[in-house]
Amino acid sequence: MSRPRIVIVGAGFAGYRTARALSRLVRHKAEITLLNPTDYFLYLPLLPQVAAGILEPRRVSVSLSGTLPHVRLVLGEADSVDLDGRSVHYTDPEGGGGTLAYDRLVLAVGSVNKLLPIPGVAEHAHGFRGLPEALYLRDHVTRQVELAATEDDPKSRAARCTFVVVGAGYTGTEVAAHGQMYTDAQVRRHPLRHGMRPRWMLLDIAPRVLPEMHERLAQTADRVLRQRGVEVRMGTSVKEATRDGVLLTDGEFVDTRTLVWCVGVRPDPLVESTGQPLERGRLLVDPHLQVPGRPEVFACGDAAAVPDLNNPGTYTPMTAQHAWRHGKVVAQNVAASLGVGERRAYRHRDLGFVVDLGGTKAAANPLGIPLPGPLAGAVTRGYHLAAMPGNRVRVAADWLLDSVLPRQAVQLGLVRSWSVPLDTASPELARVPGRPEPRQTASTGSGPGAATPGDTTPASAPPSEHIAELARNQPGGEPAKGGFGGEAARNQPGGEPARNQPGGEPARNRSGGGPARNRSGGEPAKGQPASEAAGNQPGGEPPGPVKRHPAEGDS
């Protein structure tokens, strides 16, 4: 008699935990298959430290085959789910197709970038959801400071040294905090002319940073950022982005070459193809994380709307903490459906939050206890070490070396601007020559670039007619090669390689929850004319022909 087939789609926090727990519960009683576009689990909370040069990329990438020995790994992105036929169709990294049949299915596909219809943002901004984006940002920031050091024009020099981060949730706050420290370290070793210091701005229409956290912790983070020199502007966001800078909602125009988009995420659109009831894009499940009417199908993580039994009438938020716990409960319930153990409903207890602000600074309230100063920093790093399912010694070693050695500020040139467009539903996948063109699924949210609690849901939105007007007026056209959001001209020192130079393919991963389908960007944003092709992405067109898939139509 054949063993039951369990298919898990996605190896983010929820999917990875499900696979690990199931492999221990059912062992050889079932065949467990994990479908993911990469062979690693990305520990997303430490990604800002990769962009700041503290950690090497492999430190936050935990091997799936190395830590899940009893799980079969299939590399690919899920394209569709046939619930009646009990199968999942996927596309492998080389463009081939395949189908996985299942007796039990766990959808842990996580979340994708949320792109709002603000003119110019799709062309000139970059997100921060995957390794390619972190590596690109580190190279880009390093390059801008190095170019500023040799720039004769004071205005251009100031623009290159101005970095704008939109969204003051967890991700945006950490990116701004670490970014300011990184660039300050650069200019201490190689001072800029006239004593100029890099300028970092953190914007959000929320009334304070980290609006999802306790006010005391938010005040701590705000104080640390301001003391470090970050311009924190609450109640302000981006009204329009151009190649020369950004127009803010308060009317000020800021000259800059860098816009980092951290305004939140939305559930992966794969769940829409199931035809099952949704709650704001998330697949509705019962307290046992089963899809109603489909007892063989389970969902967890950012893509699942899980009832919050501690707050009736609400759903658990899209956070890594919940996704990790969802995975354990799903594993127990899948095993129970196969006759191993008993099923349980999902209940949670808030364990608090930690936000790493760089150095010894952090904002933390473990078990609801607010911690001050260096103690918060120690607890934050201790929490991350305990939470990581691997690479702990290597991460601790990098932290130790960073504390005693100067940080290396070098450009690796592995990821180019056009490889990581904001208008993509797969931020963990860098565009490479020859890869089939993925379908467009980027979100066009409902607000003017505002970050939201937990970086997950829409914030206060302007009237719908204003959004429609923004979408209609969104400009097209290719930004200048040395312009905002792009890179310096390719023949300039420190610039990007030529467009037709073969590039290595960065590993693919669903950061924070699971795989998207075969998408890596290049389609126009919603509201942008369809004639504006991938070439309008910052940095120019990717080389080589692409194959288009039909368009369709996450902490």
Side-chain angles (χ1 to χ4, degrees), residues 166-247:
V166 184
Y170 294 108
T171 302
T173 298
E174 290 187 341
V175 167
H178 281 281
Q180 182 75 65
M181 291 187 67
Y182 179 62
T183 53
D184 281 353
Q186 258 189 287
V187 299
R188 276 198 299 269
R189 301 184 68 184
H190 301 285
L192 298 171
R193 298 183 185 184
H194 308 295
M196 178 180 291
R197 184 186 182 191
R199 176 191 184 192
W200 283 79
M201 300 177 65
L202 180 62
L203 313 177
D204 201 313
I205 63 169
R208 59 181 173 88
V209 300
L210 299 172
E212 64 278 8
M213 294 187 69
H214 188 277
E215 186 173 359
R216 180 176 174 181
L217 296 181
Q219 291 174 350
T220 297
D222 186 274
R223 182 174 63 254
V224 170
L225 290 171
R226 294 180 188 274
Q227 289 175 348
R228 198 167 286 168
V230 177
E231 291 185 34
V232 181
R233 297 198 184 184
M234 296 295 96
T236 305
S237 190
V238 172
K239 184 177 181 180
E240 181 180 0
T242 72
R243 67 186 62 182
D244 300 315
V246 292
L247 176 63

Side-chain angles (χ1 to χ4, degrees), residues 89-174:
H89 183 269
Y90 67 92
T91 302
D92 67 31
E94 295 183 346
T99 301
L100 296 174
Y102 65 82
D103 296 299
R104 299 291 185 275
L105 174 66
V106 179
L107 291 174
V109 291
S111 53
V112 301
N113 281 327
K114 181 174 66 178
L115 178 62
L116 306 181
I118 298 176
V121 166
E123 294 80 17
H124 304 298
H126 287 284
F128 199 82
R129 290 285 298 168
L131 274 178
E133 291 174 324
L135 292 174
Y136 166 77
L137 182 62
R138 183 168 70 179
D139 273 7
H140 175 77
V141 170
T142 303
R143 180 178 300 120
Q144 294 308 308
V145 175
E146 290 173 347
L147 291 174
T150 59
E151 182 66 63
D152 293 326
D153 179 21
K155 182 177 180 181
S156 179
R157 185 166 61 244
R160 291 192 182 279
C161 284
T162 299
F163 308 94
V164 179
V165 181
V166 184
Y170 294 108
T171 302
T173 298
E174 290 187 341

Side-chain angles (χ1 to χ4, degrees), residues 243-310:
R243 67 186 62 182
D244 300 315
V246 292
L247 176 63
L248 305 184
T249 53
D250 61 6
E252 179 184 355
F253 187 86
V254 177
D255 293 317
T256 181
R257 299 291 185 270
T258 309
L259 178 60
V260 186
W261 194 254
C262 301
V263 302
V265 295
R266 69 183 181 105
D268 191 294
L270 176 67
V271 298
E272 298 175 5
S273 69
T274 64
Q276 299 299 301
L278 303 177
E279 169 62 29
R280 294 188 178 181
R282 293 198 282 174
L283 192 61
L284 278 171
V285 297
D286 62 23
H288 298 92
L289 289 87
Q290 285 181 289
V291 176
R294 299 282 182 175
E296 76 283 359
V297 181
F298 299 77
C300 54
D302 289 354
V306 181
D308 188 345
L309 298 183
N310 294 333

Side-chain angles (χ1 to χ4, degrees), residues 53-74:
I54 299 172
L55 296 177
E56 290 304 311
R58 286 185 298 174
R59 304 297 185 255
V60 299
S61 309
V62 179
S63 169
L64 296 179
S65 57
T67 55
L68 301 173
H70 302 297
V71 176
R72 174 193 173 210
L73 173 63
V74 175

Side-chain angles (χ1 to χ4, degrees), residues 9-58:
V9 182
F13 281 93
Y16 180 87
R17 184 73 182 278
T18 301
R20 191 170 76 166
L22 263 177
S23 66
R24 296 171 179 173
L25 290 171
V26 300
R27 293 192 178 272
H28 303 292
K29 298 179 181 179
E31 177 184 323
I32 305 173
T33 300
L34 178 61
L35 176 64
N36 198 59
T38 65
D39 62 354
Y40 63 84
F41 157 74
L42 177 64
Y43 190 75
L44 190 62
L46 292 182
L47 202 58
Q49 296 192 25
V50 173
I54 299 172
L55 296 177
E56 290 304 311
R58 286 185 298 174

Side-chain angles (χ1 to χ4, degrees), residues 12 57 69 78 99 176 189 194 223 297 375 379 383 435 443 469 493 506 516 529:
T99 301
R189 301 184 68 184
H194 308 295
R223 182 174 63 254
V297 181
L375 180 58
V379 167
Y383 168 79
R435 175 177 292 164
S443 171
E469 185 64 23

